Amino acid sequence: MSKSALITGITGQDGSYLTELLLSKGYTVHGLVRRSSSFNTGRIDHLYEDPHEENRSLVLHHADLSDGVAMVNLLRDLRPDEVYNLGAQSHVRVSFDSPLYTGDVTGMGTLRLLEAIRASGIDTRIYQASSSEMFGAAPPPQNEHTPFHPRSPYGCAKVFGYWATVNYREAYDLFAVNGILFNHESPRRGETFVTRKISRAVARIHAGLQDTLYLGNLEAVRDWGYAPEYVEAMWRMLQHDTPDDYVVATGEAGTVRAFLTEAFAVVGRDWREHVEFDAKYERPSEVDALIGDAGKIETVLGWKPTVLWPDLARLMVQADISALEAELTGATVRIDR
Ligand SMILES: NC(=O)c1ccc[n+]([C@@H]2O[C@H](COP(=O)([O-])OP(=O)(O)OC[C@H]3O[C@@H](n4cnc5c(N)ncnc54)[C@H](OP(=O)(O)O)[C@@H]3O)[C@@H](O)[C@H]2O)c1
């Protein structure tokens, strides 16, 4: 019998790659999609199956992490073997503007999902998308033993979700795991996250459509990995004999400034001629350096990243150049990396 999985956040960067991975393994994938007045399924449109087809392997359901009853009903009906909680208000800067919403969806949403599993009485395994932002001000390298010191409403909400997950494992013997993922990017990364903002701007500057890119703190040090490799780590955590928490990172970090240098080099330009500072992109409290030690997941689950951030910067710029060229010539492209 093939397995089934429910993914919250299926329309996001990670949700789309995880869906591809699970479908390739023969899973039936159910995705939780929130209601929007415009289409929000662009990242998974290439996987879409008509609702009138029989035996679909990808099925989408309207629900929201703020609606606990809808999640109980969904879980009771679907009884998935695995649940991946990727849904969140996931933008750190935005969490300062919408702290209560972020706390509700990113923090309480996790508890609602855990409680929905318990209330529906189903036997399932759950993956919680925890974040390196939980470490915040704790000095690097950070691993599973590093104390949390979040520096944003987003980080605080993720700490709540992390401990709720640990608590349901300890209290109810639920197979519940936290993946503490460091930043991971791809051509499908949201356009307002700094790496994608840079790669899109490089493509547009190269095409003569834009001249200036406005950014905030260039000195932040981040450990950027490649999203398709990180969803493989999520899946491995749920296949292990025992539930546990793992850091997922490359261990190689750079500053935003270094990422800029690498990205602009793809088109032979100097970023200093195009980048200007805008204080609105700074955070009230910054996270200086996140560099992960992923030794545990390599030892226990055999997971190891292969794409480091300089390659990632090049890959993202090249993808955005191709996408823009296709857009300008009216061709259709699928972002399949
Ligand atoms: N990418 C990283 O570097 C990173 C690192 C550590 C942890 N994480 C966490 O990993 C998860 C996946 O990251 P990502 O980069 O794929 O994020 P993303 O692209 O921003 O996707 C977030 C997903 O959550 C959905 N969502 C937002 N609010 C919701 C709500 N109220 N109810 C249900 N769904 C809702 C979004 O739906 P719409 O498409 O409708 O907006 C989207 O599908 C997130 O929880 C994120 O916080 C990410």
Side-chain angles (χ1 to χ4, degrees):
M1 268 264 288
S2 73
K3 281 189 183 179
S4 64
L6 172 68
I7 304 176
T8 74
I10 193 168
T11 56
Q13 170 189 255
D14 291 4
S16 66
Y17 287 119
L18 181 64
T19 303
E20 286 172 2
L21 179 77
L22 297 183
L23 290 175
S24 76
K25 292 182 183 296
Y27 280 63
T28 299
V29 176
H30 296 272
L32 188 153
V33 178
R34 63 174 170 159
R35 149 78 190 151
S36 164
S37 65
S38 48
F39 289 119
N40 57 356
T41 52
R43 293 187 180 97
I44 51 169
D45 278 349
H46 61 290
L47 305 170
Y48 179 78
E49 293 176 43
D50 191 288
H52 304 100
E53 280 175 31
E54 279 183 31
N55 302 321
R56 281 180 294 159
S57 47
L58 174 62
V59 187
L60 303 179
H61 309 265
H62 271 123
D64 197 292
L65 283 165
S66 60
D67 185 344
V69 174
M71 284 191 284
V72 174
N73 290 337
L74 201 56
L75 284 162
R76 195 192 47 226
D77 291 349
L78 299 176
R79 311 185 82 78
D81 297 300
E82 297 169 8
V83 176
Y84 295 85
N85 184 31
L86 310 184
Q89 191 304 93
S90 68
H91 200 285
V92 176
R93 180 67 193 80
V94 170
S95 77
F96 287 99
D97 301 329
S98 289
L100 299 187
Y101 176 76
T102 304
D104 188 43
V105 171
T106 306
M108 283 295 287
T110 306
L111 183 58
R112 286 189 194 100
L113 189 58
L114 289 162
E115 187 56 16
I117 290 173
R118 195 177 77 86
S120 57
I122 62 168
D123 182 18
T124 189
R125 298 182 168 201
I126 176 167
Y127 169 89
Q128 164 59 12
S130 285
S131 165
S132 57
E133 286 287 332
M134 300 188 305
F135 295 126
Q142 295 98 356
N143 66 20
E144 293 81 3
H145 304 293
T146 305
F148 299 140
H149 184 157
R151 299 267 286 170
S152 62
Y154 170 79
C156 294
K158 284 291 184 186
V159 170
F160 178 82
Y162 170 94
W163 282 114
T165 303
V166 172
N167 180 239
Y168 272 61
R169 182 167 75 217
E170 293 175 353
Y172 305 116
D173 212 16
L174 187 64
F175 194 111
V177 307
N178 282 289
I180 307 173
L181 272 54
F182 282 60
N183 292 60
H184 46 282
E185 322 293 315
S186 74
R188 295 184 197 168
R189 184 63 145 145
E191 288 88 348
T192 58
F193 291 86
V194 69
T195 52
R196 186 74 199 288
K197 216 170 130 178
I198 293 170
S199 64
R200 286 186 86 224
V202 172
R204 290 176 59 79
I205 289 167
H206 182 57
L209 297 174
Q210 178 179 334
D211 193 49
T212 307
L213 166 64
Y214 294 95
L215 293 175
N217 178 16
L218 302 187
E219 305 312 324
V221 174
R222 291 292 183 273
D223 174 339
W224 291 289
Y226 186 38
E229 298 189 330
Y230 282 41
V231 300
E232 163 82 25
M234 299 174 186
W235 177 77
R236 286 196 192 194
M237 286 177 217
L238 289 194
Q239 312 314 308
H240 196 50
D241 303 337
T242 47
D244 206 346
D245 308 317
Y246 300 90
V247 158
V248 178
T250 71
E252 294 282 331
T255 57
V256 174
R257 185 186 295 272
F259 194 96
L260 273 171
T261 308
E262 211 63 53
F264 274 82
V266 174
V267 296
R269 288 180 187 256
D270 185 341
W271 66 268
R272 286 168 294 196
E273 290 166 16
H274 298 281
V275 174
E276 285 188 24
F277 173 72
D278 185 339
K280 104 170 163 223
Y281 298 119
E282 284 195 316
R283 302 168 185 178
S285 44
E286 291 280 350
V287 169
D288 294 335
L290 296 173
I291 310 171
D293 165 9
K296 178 176 169 182
I297 192 168
E298 186 180 348
T299 308
V300 181
L301 302 182
W303 180 89
K304 199 171 162 32
T306 64
V307 180
L308 302 181
W309 71 263
D311 284 338
L312 185 60
R314 286 189 283 274
L315 177 159
M316 289 176 70
V317 170
Q318 276 149 4
D320 271 320
I321 289 174
S322 303
L324 187 60
E325 278 169 0
E327 193 185 312
L328 295 175
T329 57
T332 47
V333 280
R334 212 191 89 195
I335 299 176
D336 51 8
R337 278 210 283 191

